[in-house]
Amino acid sequence: MESMAVSTSLPNTDEDFDRNVPRICGVCGDKATGFHFNAMTCEGCKGFFRRSMKRKAVFTCPFNGNCTITKDNRRHCQACRLKRCTSIGMMKEFILTDEEVQRKKDMIMKRKEEEAVRESMKPKLTEEQQHIIDVLLEAHHKTYDSSYSDFNSFRPPVRQDCQGTNPSKAPSVDSLSSSSFASHLTHSDLPDSNVGFVNLLTVPDQASSESSPESLGNSSFSMLPHLADLVSYSIQKVIGFAKMIPGFRELSTEDQIALLKSSAIEIIMLRSNESFNQDDMSWTCGSDDFKYSVNDVSQAGHNMELLEPLVKFQIGLKKLNLHEEEHVLLMAICLLSPDRPGVQDTAQVEGLQDHLSNILQAYIRCKHPPPGGRLLYAKMIQKLADLRSLSEEHSKQYRSLSIQPEHTMKLTPLVMEVFGNEIS
Ligand SMILES: [Zn+2]
Ligand SMILES: [Zn+2]
């Protein structure tokens, strides 16, 4: 076999070496370049060892056989230099033949090619898809103020100690449902989250009692003005967000209104997830004043038929750990549902929704790998189905709330316009 030795500096030898340790040639003390034939050496000693092995050279020391090899004198005595090579562990077995070198080069090339193929196969978002995601993110940032400072302009929250003061006078089903619309609306944005477990527990009892709505008194709906303002505010923000969704403004005004009317509460519930706090099951919007428990929401007239599934929904949504990109896409997809009542040009709405759901699926493929992204799209679509039943229950409760003038007068014109005014 041709002993044509070719030196190799293994590409991975660098990793074997602590970068902070000085690299000194074990033969001559010069600056080393890595491991060569099993020892840390400089390029000069590497070449010397390889050539010597290739030639099967036999050297004789002109001195007394124990020369000290340095960077400057390493050429003076080949015998002692080679002896030094062997003594620090350099081995001719580590010298590759031409064939081996070629095979190694081929392997490196092949690995690079495979890497390039893998890179090109990686799913990527198109520029257009990325652009739409950027537009939606910006739309959300412009319409969701996470400082919640605007809440100070709402009618102030009034909380009553229902449990202690009048347990028997718990809000009746009727009264709860009637006032619940407004509170639901508000809840979904941020206050909804206030539905604490304590409330959940107490409210069902109250609801089961047959007390008349009047027995609740105004106190039962003490949170209604504040939460109605919150919902009203949120509706405005949802409208602002919708207008920035690419394609939304190209829809007829009638269809824009139909979509907004039926999805507003659902979008509010979705966006309120940002403030939902799983630790205490509340929607936490800044200060304690604006920290809403289930109990608070029930004091705006909503009952557990809505609040319990709503809290479950918030927890489930939180657990998906959505990226903000996915969160905004989900809101836009929810808004552009072609099957909403009153939509005329369903094909156009469907086209927009399909486009957005394709972007969402592409985003998950590219940016949200398993385990987090596993079945994520399906789970998100399930959340849209959950929202439909929440919306239905909200509607029911709002309707019973809004048939009572003393409650409707606490709402806002926008809330009544969007959710309907049963009185008029
Ligand atoms: Zn050296
Ligand atoms: Zn010597």
Side-chain angles (χ1 to χ4, degrees), residues 25-31 40-46 69-71 74 81:
C25 173
V27 179
C28 72
D30 195 358
K31 190 167 167 270
M40 178 62 65
T41 72
C42 66
E43 284 299 302
C45 294
K46 175 182 87 175
I69 311 297
T70 67
K71 180 188 171 187
R74 65 193 180 198
R81 190 181 186 186

Side-chain angles (χ1 to χ4, degrees), residues 61 63 67 77 80:
C61 175
F63 309 105
C67 306
C77 179
C80 292

Side-chain angles (χ1 to χ4, degrees), residues 254-255 258-259 339-345:
E254 292 74 20
D255 280 355
L259 291 175
D339 60 339
R340 302 288 193 185
V343 173
Q344 298 299 309
D345 195 343

Side-chain angles (χ1 to χ4, degrees), residues 52-66:
S52 306
M53 289 299 119
K54 171 187 158 188
R55 293 189 347 239
K56 298 186 172 116
V58 178
F59 303 118
T60 310
C61 175
F63 309 105
N64 47 12
N66 56 1

Side-chain angles (χ1 to χ4, degrees), residues 151-172:
F151 287 27
N152 289 299
S153 64
F154 304 160
R155 283 169 285 175
V158 178
R159 292 178 170 86
Q160 308 222 324
D161 184 10
C162 303
Q163 294 164 260
T165 53
N166 52 353
S168 61
K169 286 196 176 181
S172 72

